[in-house]
Amino acid sequence: MSNAPQGLVLNVNQAHPMRLKGAFSCRPGELLVLVGPSGAGKSSMLRVMAGLMRPDSGLMQVQGEVWMDLQSGVFKTPQERRVGLVFQDYALMPHLTAIDNVALALMHLRPAQRRHAAIEWLGRVKLTGDEIHRKPAALSGGQQQRVAMARALARRPQLLLLDEPFSAVDSMNRQALYGLLADLRQALNIPMVLVTHDLQEARHLGDKLVVLDGGEVLQEGAPAEVHQRPRNSRVADLVGIQNRFHGVWLGPGPADGRGQLRWLSKPDDGLDAAGPVLQVLDKGKIPANFPVSWVVHPDALELHHTLPVHRLGDASVEVFPVEVLQLRDLGELSLVELGLSEHVGLRFRLVVSGPQRPGLHRGQSLWVSMNLQSVHIMPKKADQNLVDVSKN
């Protein structure tokens, strides 16, 4: 078993009663986040990992141990798996104190040991000496979630599963719980899987994202990788990429290693439709005159109050005159929608902070520079037998 993979490795495939298909892995100490719309299969994947649901076929290993190998008839029950579960609704016993709720996970110990271990874990999740003696009704939502976390960790699980654990608490408590989870990750060397609908939460907490839709794993990767290089337009939608556009791939450009991408305002625009032609990296995987979607990461867009003359001679940068169409104040940030002055219907969305914010107003003329090396192109039709352009 010395060569067995450490952490979590899951591969599952079933057609009924709901589709579940895909594979992913999570190293010890890593937090993997499952994201996707309602009904995508996130909680079902969690149930499979917990042993609460048996798929048609699948393989699961945790810390080198086989928990599920249905081809060989192996399927450990929930009781046989050392799994910590934290639910959205806390699932605490209302008639028991915080200490007694955590002690429920320690029935293998003697009563005195149970109480001592429960108090120790409640201290690790930062509950006070007074709070640990209260029943759930006398605790805030954030405090209840800390009790649920202590209970999940008390048996020292090999795998921690978190099913939207922060969605029922307010913003202040949520930030505190994020900090708690970060602290615990430093002390625990186990794989952790989080289900959330909150894309900001996923990016803030996750070492890895797994994007699900219709029960199928569409993409797995680091948050920055998924946002910069989504596998297809559906992934781009599901992870909330703002600057996603329509286009047509015109083919190789005049410079070696470059191709020509025409930016379209609508997906059904023809090849001769008006729109700027961008000279972007050409990987030779898309035929000429092929409809595409494309994205550009916010880090590749820069807002300028005057014409950025220093950018004009750079072949890897395109500069556009723009007009402020919409402006939303988000506290420390502003969300700005910018229309290209020379191309009606083409728009950027930028989040602006710091010294760029003062003086912005609707109708204002500005400039945007775009790093063309960060443009990521996705063929629109999946039935053309094209190589996956998110790779290499």
Side-chain angles (χ1 to χ4, degrees):
M1 287 297 257
S2 60
N3 294 324
Q6 296 302 300
L8 164 71
V9 177
L10 179 68
N11 191 331
V12 61
N13 191 357
Q14 83 166 20
H16 302 288
M18 71 165 294
R19 189 173 188 233
L20 284 179
K21 181 179 180 182
F24 51 84
S25 63
C26 181
R27 295 191 298 267
E30 191 173 63
L31 178 63
L32 180 149
V33 185
L34 299 178
V35 297
S38 296
K42 302 184 297 298
S43 292
S44 293
M45 284 289 190
L46 224 60
R47 288 170 60 82
V48 169
M49 287 182 270
L52 300 171
M53 178 176 170
R54 181 173 182 146
D56 293 337
S57 65
L59 175 68
M60 180 179 178
Q61 295 184 45
V62 176
Q63 306 293 58
E65 297 180 12
V66 177
W67 287 11
M68 178 176 71
D69 184 352
L70 296 178
Q71 186 174 358
S72 302
V74 176
F75 186 82
K76 287 192 173 184
T77 66
Q79 294 75 22
E80 294 172 318
R81 305 182 187 204
R82 285 175 54 192
V83 176
L85 274 167
V86 181
F87 300 98
Q88 177 182 354
D89 59 0
Y90 320 130
L92 300 177
M93 295 295 180
H95 61 290
L96 299 179
T97 65
I99 293 176
D100 292 333
N101 265 282
V102 176
L104 285 176
L106 299 165
M107 300 304 289
H108 59 293
L109 300 178
R110 294 177 180 176
Q113 293 175 311
R114 274 181 235 155
R115 185 174 183 83
H116 177 78
I119 292 173
E120 180 183 349
W121 275 106
L122 288 165
R124 291 185 69 174
V125 299
K126 298 181 172 59
L127 256 67
T128 68
D130 172 59
E131 291 163 353
I132 66 176
H133 295 284
R134 297 180 191 173
K135 295 180 180 179
L139 297 171
S140 70
Q143 291 165 345
Q144 290 182 56
Q145 194 56 281
R146 289 170 187 267
V147 177
M149 189 80 73
R151 183 185 57 190
L153 296 173
R155 292 201 66 175
R156 302 187 181 276
Q158 294 174 293
L159 173 65
L160 180 62
L161 304 177
L162 305 148
D163 193 1
E164 298 201 58
F166 310 124
S167 61
V169 297
D170 58 58
S171 178
M172 185 175 296
N173 272 311
R174 190 176 303 177
Q175 294 299 320
L177 288 167
Y178 291 167
L180 171 64
L181 184 59
D183 291 342
L184 290 171
R185 288 172 63 188
Q186 299 299 316
L188 302 171
N189 193 35
I190 60 173
M192 292 164 277
V193 180
L194 168 70
V195 166
T196 183
H197 280 92
D198 189 325
L199 295 174
Q200 288 298 108
E201 183 173 277
R203 294 191 68 178
H204 178 65
L205 296 176
D207 299 300
K208 182 184 287 188
L209 296 186
V210 170
V211 184
L212 286 167
D213 191 31
E216 182 175 357
V217 174
L218 300 186
Q219 188 168 353
E220 173 188 7
E225 175 190 346
V226 174
H227 281 81
Q228 291 174 12
R229 304 176 62 78
R231 183 154 294 167
N232 52 46
S233 58
R234 182 57 177 160
V235 172
D237 284 340
L238 292 176
V239 299
I241 294 176
Q242 292 280 344
N243 290 300
R244 182 169 74 82
F245 309 109
H246 307 291
V248 60
W249 182 253
L250 300 178
D256 291 342
R258 297 271 172 177
Q260 299 186 100
L261 168 68
R262 185 183 295 280
W263 185 357
L264 304 178
S265 61
K266 299 190 294 294
D268 54 354
D269 282 347
L271 296 178
D272 56 349
V277 176
L278 310 177
Q279 306 295 323
V280 300
L281 295 176
D282 183 4
K283 297 181 179 179
K285 298 178 180 179
I286 305 176
N289 301 328
F290 199 87
V292 297
S293 292
W294 61 280
V295 299
V296 61
H297 194 267
D299 292 347
L301 300 171
E302 188 174 353
L303 188 63
H304 309 272
H305 285 263
T306 59
L307 177 65
V309 178
H310 63 290
R311 297 288 196 183
L312 297 181
D314 189 342
S316 66
V317 174
E318 188 81 29
V319 177
F320 301 95
V322 295
E323 178 186 343
V324 177
L325 302 179
Q326 298 289 340
L327 186 64
R328 289 177 54 197
D329 188 348
L330 304 178
E332 297 179 354
L333 306 170
S334 292
L335 178 62
V336 186
E337 185 167 323
L338 305 160
L340 271 64
S341 304
E342 299 172 357
H343 300 279
V344 176
L346 302 184
R347 303 182 177 191
F348 288 115
R349 290 183 178 88
L350 273 69
V351 175
V352 180
S353 62
Q356 287 189 318
R357 295 179 68 198
L360 289 178
H361 57 84
R362 291 182 63 177
Q364 183 177 6
S365 295
L366 299 167
W367 301 83
V368 167
S369 59
M370 178 169 64
N371 186 339
L372 299 174
Q373 295 181 345
S374 295
V375 169
H376 175 62
I377 302 172
M378 302 163 288
K380 280 194 174 178
K381 297 180 180 178
D383 58 352
Q384 300 296 317
N385 297 319
L386 295 177
V387 177
D388 185 348
V389 297
S390 69
K391 299 177 180 177
N392 301 325

